[in-house]
Amino acid sequence: MLVMSHKRPYRIRVSGEYALFSRPETQVEPLSYPIMPPTAAEGLLEAIFWKPEFDWQILAIEMLEPVQYANFTRNHIEKRQRPGKRLFANEMRVQSHQSVLRKVAYVIECDIQLRPHATENIGKYCEQFERRMDSGGCFQQPFLGIREFMADFAWAEESDRPWTDNRDCGQMPLKIHYVPDPNGAIQWRDRVTRDYVRGRAVTEWFDAEIKQGRLVERGQLCLPSPHLVAKGT
């Protein structure tokens, strides 16, 4: 087994028994994209290693296994439980069908991009990440779309090559931006002040396709760079 050297940009192999990267138009009965979206790759990397001074830049995603779907039926409760109110699950249970991916493996090509408020050299964060990868540690348990589908991760090997596949993926999320808005429905902690900020999430989309097993922008040879940047996010 020949493991690639820890040179930037990094190449990380992630795999799992199942994955669900839900298409936005199939929220009631989720259907997975055929490949991991950049937003899911970013979230997975943040679960391994995250600091407020940098962002993960997703450069490429390659699929190592053929697309295989499996169908599940899940039980849900129709309404959300409220504090102080009883909820009878048997009376509110509904079923939904999910089309998930099975036997998945990807290589994420990525790099660390410092934020403007960072005061340390990028080498410090790269060394910390490399030690984290070498030890197999993580900040939180990485998962593939939903928390039930846990992910294994390791450095990519020289033998990891894309599975030849070509297909259209439609509109896919590229980046989620958090925009301050006093009337927003969500809250997060500011990376600089660490104060809670109220705002909203804005998703940046792109036209995606799989070309020779590699996720790219339609008609291009690589992924696009995010360019919807909101002040204060």
Side-chain angles (χ1 to χ4, degrees), residues 45-51 54 56 125 128-129 132 139:
L45 291 170
E46 288 181 346
I48 298 173
F49 181 66
W50 180 89
K51 294 289 182 182
F54 72 82
W56 280 109
Y125 303 108
Q128 290 177 350
F129 171 65
R132 182 71 59 86
F139 176 63

Side-chain angles (χ1 to χ4, degrees), residues 27-96:
Q27 292 183 0
V28 176
E29 295 195 341
L31 168 66
S32 181
Y33 282 108
I35 191 171
M36 169 185 280
T39 48
E42 182 179 3
L44 188 146
L45 291 170
E46 288 181 346
I48 298 173
F49 181 66
W50 180 89
K51 294 289 182 182
E53 291 81 15
F54 72 82
D55 287 317
W56 280 109
Q57 183 181 17
I58 308 301
L59 303 174
I61 298 173
E62 299 171 355
M63 54 188 294
L64 305 180
E65 299 289 345
V67 176
Q68 303 177 73
Y69 281 96
N71 295 316
F72 288 159
T73 300
R74 294 187 65 182
N75 291 323
H76 296 273
I77 295 176
E78 202 169 22
K79 295 181 180 179
R80 182 175 296 180
Q81 187 172 10
R82 303 292 181 183
K85 289 190 176 182
R86 288 186 176 182
L87 190 148
F88 297 96
N90 289 336
E91 299 175 3
M92 294 182 157
R93 184 176 291 121
V94 295
Q95 287 188 333
S96 67

